[in-house]
Amino acid sequence: MPIIEVKNLKKYYKVHQKEPGLSGSIRSLFHRKYYDVKAVDDVSFEIGEGELVGFIGPNGAGENHYPKSIIRSFVSYIRRC
């Protein structure tokens, strides 16, 4: 029986795209174009009692987002109780 069960975890960040050059920098102050960056996309896993878990991957693969998202979920769940 899993102690922690995560289903379909997603975390996207909205990032603005600047056009090159000084005129692009000035223009982006008033009219920004945004696009989504997927930090974590549709990840599911279970952690059983006594299991040790490690997240490894290349830089920018979202290793820090998994534990942060799990902790945020627990905190919001505890606040509702």
Side-chain angles (χ1 to χ4, degrees):
M1 180 173 196
I3 292 179
I4 297 174
E5 183 177 4
V6 177
K7 293 184 179 180
N8 305 327
L9 179 64
K10 297 179 183 180
K11 179 64 178 177
Y12 298 171
Y13 288 100
K14 189 175 278 196
V15 179
H16 79 275
Q17 184 175 6
K18 185 186 83 67
E19 295 180 28
L22 179 61
S23 63
S25 296
I26 295 170
R27 200 174 303 121
S28 72
L29 292 173
F30 303 103
H31 302 287
R32 290 190 170 188
K33 295 179 183 177
Y34 290 93
Y35 65 96
D36 289 333
V37 173
K38 296 178 183 179
V40 177
D41 189 29
D42 198 28
V43 174
S44 301
F45 59 90
E46 297 177 351
I47 301 173
E49 185 175 351
E51 287 185 328
L52 297 175
V53 179
F55 294 100
I56 59 172
N59 288 344
E63 303 95 342
N64 289 328
H65 296 288
Y66 296 102
K68 287 179 183 178
S69 296
I70 294 169
I71 291 169
R72 286 185 188 122
S73 298
F74 284 138
V75 170
S76 64
Y77 175 77
I78 291 170
R79 287 181 181 159
R80 286 182 288 187
C81 293

